[in-house]
Amino acid sequence: MKYENILVKNNRGIITLTINREKALNALNKSVFDELEHFFAKDAPRKKTLKGIVITGAGEKAFVAGADIKEFLSFKEDDAMEVSRRGQMIFNLIENFPKPVIAAVNGFALGGGCELAMACHMRIASERARFGQPEVNLGIIPGYGGTQRLPQLIGRGRAMEYLLTGDMINAADAYRMGLANHVVPHGEEVKKAKEIITKIATKAPIAVAVTIDCVDAAYNGVVDGMDYEARSFGEVSHSDDFKEGAAAFIERRKAEFKGR
Ligand code: DAK
């Protein structure tokens, strides 16, 4: 697929994926969703040397200012549930991606933009970042996981307030509440995200992937997280990487993980 609404740049195994609709403050229209789905379902899983992915927004002002309001006015009522389910499915691909995916939030992350950032494994906020779920202002509710992921990240009471008032959350408050992992000067958010990915790339790839899987398992509401962790632990402990990691510790050398 030829990407027209996202920019994909691979620099030494770290992909920076930029939502590229600057004139519409990077609002998510159907084409962006199509391209995100293709990228996370088809392209990215095939890249063997991939270390991780940074998602950011084009321009100085916005990460993503929401779903494209102009486009969703044309949705029929019957379409809405399917549109919501598809968006959730695509954001779940991001959440379940086996390599770290970090949102570099360079400005407004509103509505679907906040939901996209929350589907990522971590969020690095520029000092100018503004998060929020303003759907109530438009007479709708978040449809891409916002009512579920915001309480998970900042707690139920706080999430309820922001979901019901539609108020924006500035970078300092996002950090204080655990919505942002770090706040950095504007323009340094991608760099910080890459530093974290570079560090994670020195760890055992299977252990990284299984950790992501286990953390997600606790939130899907279906499996017993502790049981899932124990089973996964059993599987990971058979890996060559575990033998190598333990041997390297004992021999006081740097581990050389093979992802096996
Ligand atoms: N969609 C489309 N265009 C947008 C947009 C958006 N979400 N946000 C901004 N733009 C466009 C503006 O229309 C404007 O375009 P022109 O008029 O110049 O053509 C351009 O971007 C610049 O925006 P502003 O002129 O408004 O810039 P300001 O600096 O004055 O304000 C702002 C920045 C971020 C505060 C403001 O643009 C704003 O409030 N934007 C909307 C924020 C918002 O409410 N986002 C949507 C949240 S609701 C669904 C599932 C999920 C959803 C919907 C449906 N279904 C299953 C059906 C989710 C919905 C949401 O995300």
Side-chain angles (χ1 to χ4, degrees), residues 111-124:
C114 188
E115 292 170 300
L116 171 62
M118 291 193 294
C120 295
H121 301 132
M122 297 170 221
R123 285 144 294 283
I124 310 301

Side-chain angles (χ1 to χ4, degrees), residues 23-25 27 61 65-70 72 75 80 83-84 108 110-112 134-135 138 140 143-144:
K23 286 196 179 132
L25 300 188
K61 215 163 154 182
D68 192 313
I69 299 173
K70 293 165 190 168
F72 72 61
F75 287 155
V83 171
S84 172
F108 292 111
L110 303 175
E135 284 85 348
L138 299 167
I140 51 171
Y144 304 133

Side-chain angles (χ1 to χ4, degrees), residues 79-98:
D79 297 339
M81 187 172 75
E82 282 316 310
V83 171
S84 172
R85 283 200 203 287
R86 178 155 188 265
Q88 289 180 358
M89 179 276 289
I90 294 166
F91 285 4
N92 285 346
L93 286 175
I94 296 174
E95 185 170 69
N96 297 323
F97 196 73

Side-chain angles (χ1 to χ4, degrees), residues 59-243:
E60 291 296 306
K61 215 163 154 182
F63 173 73
V64 166
D68 192 313
I69 299 173
K70 293 165 190 168
E71 184 182 73
F72 72 61
L73 275 179
S74 66
F75 287 155
K76 294 188 204 77
E77 216 173 281
D78 293 349
D79 297 339
M81 187 172 75
E82 282 316 310
V83 171
S84 172
R85 283 200 203 287
R86 178 155 188 265
Q88 289 180 358
M89 179 276 289
I90 294 166
F91 285 4
N92 285 346
L93 286 175
I94 296 174
E95 185 170 69
N96 297 323
F97 196 73
K99 302 272 167 68
V101 184
I102 303 185
V105 182
N106 54 316
F108 292 111
L110 303 175
C114 188
E115 292 170 300
L116 171 62
M118 291 193 294
C120 295
H121 301 132
M122 297 170 221
R123 285 144 294 283
I124 310 301
S126 130
E127 284 166 341
R128 295 190 202 161
R130 295 284 180 280
F131 298 83
Q133 298 289 162
E135 284 85 348
V136 283
N137 297 327
L138 299 167
I140 51 171
I141 68 167
Y144 304 133
T147 63
Q148 305 305 297
R149 291 195 178 100
L150 192 61
Q152 288 164 8
L153 284 164
I154 69 173
R156 187 172 164 181
R158 284 183 178 135
M160 198 66 94
E161 179 180 342
Y162 288 108
L163 289 164
L164 297 182
T165 62
D167 284 351
M168 289 192 208
I169 306 172
N170 66 31
D173 286 344
Y175 175 71
R176 189 174 49 78
M177 294 189 286
L179 182 55
N181 295 64
H182 300 273
V183 180
V184 296
H186 184 70
E188 291 188 15
E189 54 284 349
V190 172
K191 182 167 155 260
K192 178 71 184 173
K194 285 183 173 179
E195 281 168 15
I196 295 173
I197 289 172
T198 301
K199 184 186 257 189
I200 295 170
T202 66
K203 315 299 176 189
I206 295 174
V208 167
V210 175
T211 300
I212 292 170
D213 188 41
C214 283
V215 172
D216 289 348
Y219 291 107
N220 76 13
V222 180
V223 302
D224 172 344
M226 288 293 188
D227 180 59
Y228 198 82
E229 180 185 84
R231 288 168 191 273
S232 303
F233 183 87
E235 284 167 25
V236 173
S237 64
H238 293 303
S239 67
D240 290 348
D241 281 351
F242 173 52
K243 292 191 193 94

